[in-house]
């Protein structure tokens, strides 16, 4: 009676939801989530940068997370 995870059934190439381009997200224009905001503040601090503005979208936050992860070596 449990629901299948849509990512698990999509195969190995699509098993990571973050692999989808943020420009293609249906919710990409929504405000960033609380966890995204928290993680961005952590990454910015580790990168020696000011925290990002509060008005980011989910898609923009995701792109900035990727960029800061590259710079800090975190999360990859």
């Amino acid at each position: 009676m449990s629901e299948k995870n849509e990512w698990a059934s999509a195969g190995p190439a699509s098993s990571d939801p973050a692999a989808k381009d943020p420009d293609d997200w249906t919710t990409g224009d929504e405000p960033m989530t609380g966890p995204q905001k928290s993680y961005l503040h952590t990454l910015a601090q580790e990168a020696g940068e000011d925290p990002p503005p509060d008005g980011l979208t989910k898609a923009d936050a995701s792109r900035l997370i990727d960029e800061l992860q590259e710079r800090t070596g975190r999360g990859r």
Side-chain angles (χ1 to χ4, degrees):
M1 291 245 189
S2 66
E3 288 185 23
K4 270 188 165 178
N5 180 329
E6 70 181 45
W7 302 109
S9 63
S14 300
S15 63
D16 181 4
K20 189 173 180 182
D21 185 341
D23 289 331
D24 295 333
W25 294 357
T26 57
T27 60
D29 289 336
E30 293 178 5
M32 71 177 147
T33 65
Q36 282 180 311
K37 181 178 180 178
S38 176
Y39 191 42
L40 277 170
H41 280 260
T42 299
L43 288 171
Q45 184 177 20
E46 289 182 7
E49 296 186 9
D50 291 331
D54 286 337
L56 294 178
T57 65
K58 286 181 181 179
D60 290 337
S62 178
R63 284 188 280 271
L64 186 52
I65 286 170
D66 289 344
E67 180 183 324
L68 289 171
Q69 282 180 330
E70 285 292 319
R71 283 198 247 159
T72 62
R74 197 171 209 250
R76 298 284 175 187

